[in-house]
Amino acid sequence: MNKELIKKLSDIEPYVPGEQPKGAGIVKLNTNENPYPPCPGVIRALKEIKGEELKVYPDFVCRELKKIICENYPVNENEIFLGNGSDEVLALCFKAFFNSEKPVLFPDITYSFYSVWTEFFKISCKTVPLNEDFTLNKGGFLSDNGGIVIPNPNAPTAIYEPKESIEEIISKNPESVVIIDEAYVDFSEEGSIAELIHKYENLVVVQTYSKSRALAGIRFGYALTNPKLIEVLEGVKNSFNSYTINTVTRILAAEGGKDKAYFDKCVGRIKKTRKYLTDELSKLGFITCPSSANFIFTTNPNIDCRRLFEYLKTKNVYVRHFDKPEIDNYLRITVGTEEEINILINEIKGYLE
Amino acid sequence: MNKELIKKLSDIEPYVPGEQPKGAGIVKLNTNENPYPPCPGVIRALKEIKGEELKVYPDFVCRELKKIICENYPVNENEIFLGNGSDEVLALCFKAFFNSEKPVLFPDITYSFYSVWTEFFKISCKTVPLNEDFTLNKGGFLSDNGGIVIPNPNAPTAIYEPKESIEEIISKNPESVVIIDEAYVDFSEEGSIAELIHKYENLVVVQTYSKSRALAGIRFGYALTNPKLIEVLEGVKNSFNSYTINTVTRILAAEGGKDKAYFDKCVGRIKKTRKYLTDELSKLGFITCPSSANFIFTTNPNIDCRRLFEYLKTKNVYVRHFDKPEIDNYLRITVGTEEEINILINEIKGYLE
């Protein structure tokens, strides 16, 4: 290939998502999906969509969908920004809010896409080491910065930081936008801090339908913040892709936000299975971080967890391992159905024997 | 709002898409959608989607969908990059291929999103004036540059540039990636230059399902190029959003690429109506650029076309007007159904009387 041409090509280091193995008998506990299907209304709505609706560009106002979000969280329609999965929402937030020479701060052990987005948009960044027990080092987020992004619960640790700590970080950084990524918050006991967007003009809360709402396949996420920051986000989105939410996603996401009874039942089952998984692993010598998510982060000081990870793959059981010094003897395991967790536990027992 | 906070916010000037008026009796000829619904197989496929498929992240390999594209164009599966509408594909192409201090070139009268993306990604750019008859000024694309993007047919002029001219621009710029945006190519007589990706390593062809395939609502577009450039594009995409194509779009796009008889019938009807519209306007004193798209670009030297545009809106007929010196007495009109075009013509007659 022409050498001058090659010089013009991007050499960015991409994010690497978890493997997506296909086939019968595979137990997939590596990408934190919901083991239960979305609420039945979603499928009913799907069957009612007409061809006429698909030939035109999507409605980008999405009032019905925003109304449903307002029923689930204490926010108003003009405080919601919608996107093609929360990854897109976060990426556009980085572009919209992190325009400073000062570094953007995030934990050193966290969702690995954050550092990729800073590179993508050429944003300066600095990581703040977690405490030894993997909790957040609050003090590290009080230095001069160009913005802050923190997931709560954090990933891959699954640890939920108390609301007071998060609020302190927000209140002590009035000159920076603070993004709280609540991808897993519905699995916590303490819940979302969405209501704080009315108290702090610098707060952006990001959520997703890929986990608790069981709709990873439709790609839907959103940001909650004040109307001024929403306007900035809309401007950035309209400088990238005017129609990020397609018609089908808009309709199904509205349905997916209803049916509170079904939602509570599925989240309840996952929490119950999470406790079962943690207890069973404990009997096998594993130490697990206290989880507020639909996955757990666990280690066993007596074994090489990377080898266990590789072994499980040969048994068609997929969990996630991160090749990072401080956490390379940990596994991140999605809380699947009880049946899937029993298969996992049996395979781990087989390995340990 | 805190002054330091404001300094960190993006102040980008966004692209402004055409209005999306809603309501009965509206004749919408302003965003170049297809007046006919997608092929019947799309709706059949929609009804067969299961909830279980939606709870997991989308399959990003999309083999079935890529196979269908290979049946419609002379390309191979490893020469296809998929995106959430061709706008997203183009945006990611800009990021992937335009990494030079030298300016990226595009026509001065063209799709207005190009200049927005250069600002979004901080890419230097320079516009090349069209000839007086709105055809491409080939010579303007032979100077030293950081990349080239040309729509063929061009928008909003609807003019198709002969393959030989386009090929000359590609062959004389071996040190730059040349993107040919073929959003409207299926409405031309001469067709796509997709096969040239096997001849030129610097060529990227971009297409969409929003126009000829009548699926603007599902957001689907793609780039065709050699495997090396595909790899760069995939890296860039995975630095922004790993899952841009959702499960429903993947399934419906595969269906939407089948049914050649239906496709040919709809495209044929649009071409016929395009001729009818052009002829009728000609009788009313309008001069129309030769159109190879599903829209026409027309002017009437005897009247103020902007006022006609505003008048038509009051009659619930939406066409597009661009507030740009050289073209501010032109209207861009989507080729709707014959019925819609008759309503338009009658309203124009009413205005002229």
Side-chain angles (χ1 to χ4, degrees):
Chain A
M1 187 163 266
N2 184 300
K3 275 182 196 163
E4 289 302 315
L5 183 66
I6 289 172
K7 280 189 205 163
K8 288 172 182 155
L9 307 181
S10 162
D11 57 358
I12 207 161
E13 188 73 46
Y15 169 79
V16 181
E19 289 171 273
Q20 296 288 18
K22 294 258 174 286
I26 284 177
V27 176
K28 203 176 156 301
L29 305 173
N30 68 332
T31 50
N32 298 344
E33 288 141 334
N34 200 311
Y36 307 109
C39 63
V42 167
I43 296 305
R44 277 200 302 273
L46 192 66
K47 292 192 196 309
E48 284 166 15
I49 295 171
K50 306 272 177 299
E52 292 288 330
E53 294 179 83
L54 301 181
K55 74 180 187 188
V56 291
Y57 281 96
D59 156 32
F60 46 57
V61 182
C62 303
R63 283 213 64 180
E64 172 73 10
L65 171 52
K66 286 182 182 170
K67 257 191 225 169
I68 299 294
I69 293 173
C70 294
E71 284 172 19
N72 291 324
Y73 292 96
V75 298
N76 304 306
E77 284 176 44
N78 63 351
E79 296 168 334
I80 303 171
F81 172 81
L82 312 173
N84 186 31
S86 65
D87 279 348
E88 185 187 78
V89 172
L90 285 162
L92 295 176
C93 282
F94 274 50
K95 177 71 176 168
F97 305 134
F98 298 160
N99 295 279
S100 163
E101 299 297 309
K102 296 173 194 167
V104 166
L105 308 179
F106 46 84
D108 65 337
I109 297 171
T110 195
Y111 187 31
S112 49
F113 227 135
Y114 299 152
S115 61
V116 176
W117 288 318
T118 58
E119 201 197 330
F120 188 83
F121 290 120
K122 299 171 185 165
I123 299 166
S124 144
C125 71
K126 205 177 108 184
T127 58
V128 176
L130 292 181
N131 296 321
E132 244 180 65
D133 62 355
F134 292 156
T135 57
L136 211 63
N137 171 11
K138 229 174 28 182
F141 292 94
L142 303 181
S143 65
D144 203 21
N145 63 71
I148 290 173
V149 54
I150 296 171
N152 200 30
N154 194 7
T157 65
I159 296 174
Y160 184 95
E161 202 61 32
K163 284 187 185 184
E164 307 73 53
S165 311
I166 297 291
E167 185 167 355
E168 194 181 330
I169 292 173
I170 300 162
S171 69
K172 289 194 173 160
N173 282 286
E175 299 186 351
S176 292
V177 171
V178 179
I179 301 173
I180 304 300
D181 178 358
E182 294 192 335
Y184 299 101
V185 81
D186 290 328
F187 301 104
S188 71
E189 295 308 318
E190 305 85 344
S192 173
I193 58 156
E195 77 279 3
L196 291 184
I197 64 167
H198 301 124
K199 191 170 172 188
Y200 300 104
E201 63 178 13
N202 62 327
L203 171 61
V204 178
V205 173
V206 175
Q207 301 190 338
T208 176
Y209 266 37
S210 298
K211 313 297 179 182
S212 58
R213 299 277 168 191
L215 282 166
I218 69 165
R219 314 306 303 122
F220 178 62
Y222 51 95
L224 307 173
T225 185
N226 61 74
K228 168 69 193 152
L229 295 195
I230 291 288
E231 195 189 317
V232 177
L233 259 177
E234 289 287 348
V236 164
K237 186 209 74 169
N238 283 321
S239 308
F240 177 73
N241 187 3
S242 312
Y243 302 96
T244 52
I245 304 284
N246 72 72
T247 301
V248 178
T249 293
R250 189 194 80 230
I251 293 169
L252 301 193
E255 279 304 319
K258 299 175 186 171
D259 209 337
K260 193 161 164 29
Y262 180 86
F263 176 77
D264 289 343
K265 192 177 84 180
C266 293
V267 168
R269 281 170 83 175
I270 289 166
K271 284 184 187 174
K272 201 178 144 207
T273 311
R274 179 174 73 196
K275 183 172 183 318
Y276 173 72
L277 167 62
T278 309
D279 291 349
E280 290 301 304
L281 285 176
S282 171
K283 292 177 196 162
L284 301 175
F286 284 81
I287 300 161
T288 302
C289 297
S291 170
S292 293
N294 71 334
F295 61 89
I296 59 150
F297 200 51
T298 193
T299 185
N300 188 328
N302 307 316
I303 64 167
D304 182 338
C305 285
R306 166 201 274 280
R307 285 183 62 187
L308 171 57
F309 160 75
E310 295 291 351
Y311 172 83
L312 288 172
K313 249 206 267 194
T314 67
K315 298 293 179 180
N316 269 339
V317 176
Y318 285 76
V319 299
R320 191 103 196 246
H321 175 265
F322 297 90
D323 221 346
K324 216 182 138 148
E326 293 145 295
I327 57 171
D328 63 357
N329 205 41
Y330 278 78
L331 297 178
R332 193 194 71 182
I333 304 172
T334 304
V335 179
T337 60
E338 228 181 271
E339 194 191 341
E340 289 172 320
I341 294 306
N342 279 328
I343 294 171
L344 168 79
I345 295 291
N346 279 333
E347 292 297 352
I348 294 178
K349 280 180 184 164
Y351 177 80
L352 293 176
E353 271 157 18
Chain B
M1 188 162 262
N2 184 299
K3 277 181 194 164
E4 289 303 314
L5 183 64
I6 289 172
K7 280 188 206 162
K8 288 171 182 156
L9 307 180
S10 162
D11 57 357
I12 207 161
E13 188 73 44
Y15 169 77
V16 180
E19 290 171 271
Q20 295 288 17
K22 292 256 176 288
I26 284 177
V27 176
K28 204 174 156 304
L29 305 173
N30 68 332
T31 50
N32 298 344
E33 288 142 334
N34 199 312
Y36 307 110
C39 63
V42 168
I43 297 303
R44 277 199 302 274
L46 193 65
K47 293 192 196 310
E48 283 167 16
I49 295 171
K50 306 270 176 299
E52 291 288 331
E53 293 179 84
L54 301 181
K55 75 179 187 189
V56 292
Y57 281 96
D59 156 33
F60 46 57
V61 182
C62 301
R63 283 213 64 180
E64 172 71 9
L65 171 52
K66 286 182 182 170
K67 255 190 225 170
I68 299 293
I69 294 172
C70 294
E71 284 173 19
N72 291 324
Y73 293 96
V75 298
N76 304 307
E77 284 176 45
N78 62 352
E79 295 167 334
I80 304 171
F81 172 81
L82 312 174
N84 185 31
S86 66
D87 280 347
E88 185 187 80
V89 172
L90 285 162
L92 296 175
C93 282
F94 273 49
K95 177 72 176 168
F97 305 134
F98 297 160
N99 295 279
S100 162
E101 300 296 309
K102 296 174 194 166
V104 168
L105 308 179
F106 45 84
D108 65 338
I109 297 170
T110 194
Y111 187 33
S112 49
F113 227 135
Y114 298 152
S115 61
V116 176
W117 288 318
T118 58
E119 202 197 328
F120 189 84
F121 290 120
K122 298 171 186 167
I123 299 166
S124 145
C125 70
K126 205 177 107 183
T127 58
V128 177
L130 292 181
N131 297 321
E132 245 181 63
D133 62 354
F134 292 158
T135 57
L136 211 63
N137 171 10
K138 228 173 33 183
F141 292 94
L142 303 181
S143 65
D144 204 21
N145 62 70
I148 290 172
V149 55
I150 295 171
N152 200 30
N154 194 7
T157 65
I159 296 173
Y160 184 95
E161 202 62 32
K163 285 186 183 182
E164 307 73 53
S165 310
I166 296 291
E167 184 166 356
E168 194 181 330
I169 292 173
I170 300 162
S171 70
K172 289 194 174 158
N173 282 286
E175 298 186 352
S176 293
V177 171
V178 179
I179 301 173
I180 305 299
D181 178 358
E182 294 191 334
Y184 300 100
V185 82
D186 290 329
F187 302 104
S188 71
E189 295 308 318
E190 305 84 348
S192 172
I193 58 157
E195 77 278 4
L196 292 184
I197 66 167
H198 302 124
K199 191 170 171 188
Y200 300 103
E201 64 179 11
N202 62 328
L203 172 61
V204 178
V205 173
V206 175
Q207 301 190 339
T208 176
Y209 267 36
S210 299
K211 313 297 179 183
S212 58
R213 299 276 169 194
L215 282 166
I218 69 165
R219 315 306 304 121
F220 178 62
Y222 51 95
L224 307 172
T225 187
N226 61 74
K228 168 69 192 150
L229 296 195
I230 291 289
E231 194 189 319
V232 177
L233 259 177
E234 290 286 349
V236 165
K237 187 209 73 167
N238 283 322
S239 308
F240 177 74
N241 187 3
S242 313
Y243 303 96
T244 54
I245 304 284
N246 72 74
T247 300
V248 179
T249 292
R250 189 194 80 230
I251 293 168
L252 301 193
E255 279 303 321
K258 299 176 187 170
D259 208 339
K260 193 161 162 30
Y262 180 87
F263 177 77
D264 288 343
K265 192 177 83 179
C266 293
V267 168
R269 281 170 83 175
I270 290 167
K271 284 185 187 172
K272 201 177 144 210
T273 311
R274 178 174 73 196
K275 184 170 182 321
Y276 173 71
L277 168 62
T278 309
D279 291 348
E280 290 300 306
L281 285 176
S282 171
K283 292 178 197 162
L284 301 174
F286 284 80
I287 300 161
T288 302
C289 298
S291 171
S292 292
N294 70 334
F295 61 89
I296 60 150
F297 200 50
T298 193
T299 185
N300 188 328
N302 307 314
I303 63 166
D304 182 339
C305 285
R306 167 202 273 281
R307 285 183 62 186
L308 172 58
F309 160 74
E310 294 292 351
Y311 171 84
L312 288 172
K313 248 205 264 192
T314 68
K315 298 292 180 183
N316 270 338
V317 176
Y318 286 75
V319 300
R320 191 105 196 245
H321 175 265
F322 296 91
D323 222 346
K324 215 183 140 152
E326 294 144 295
I327 57 172
D328 63 358
N329 205 43
Y330 278 78
L331 297 178
R332 191 194 72 183
I333 305 172
T334 305
V335 179
T337 61
E338 229 181 89
E339 194 191 342
E340 290 172 319
I341 294 305
N342 279 328
I343 294 171
L344 168 78
I345 295 291
N346 279 332
E347 293 296 353
I348 295 179
K349 281 180 184 164
Y351 177 79
L352 294 176
E353 273 158 15

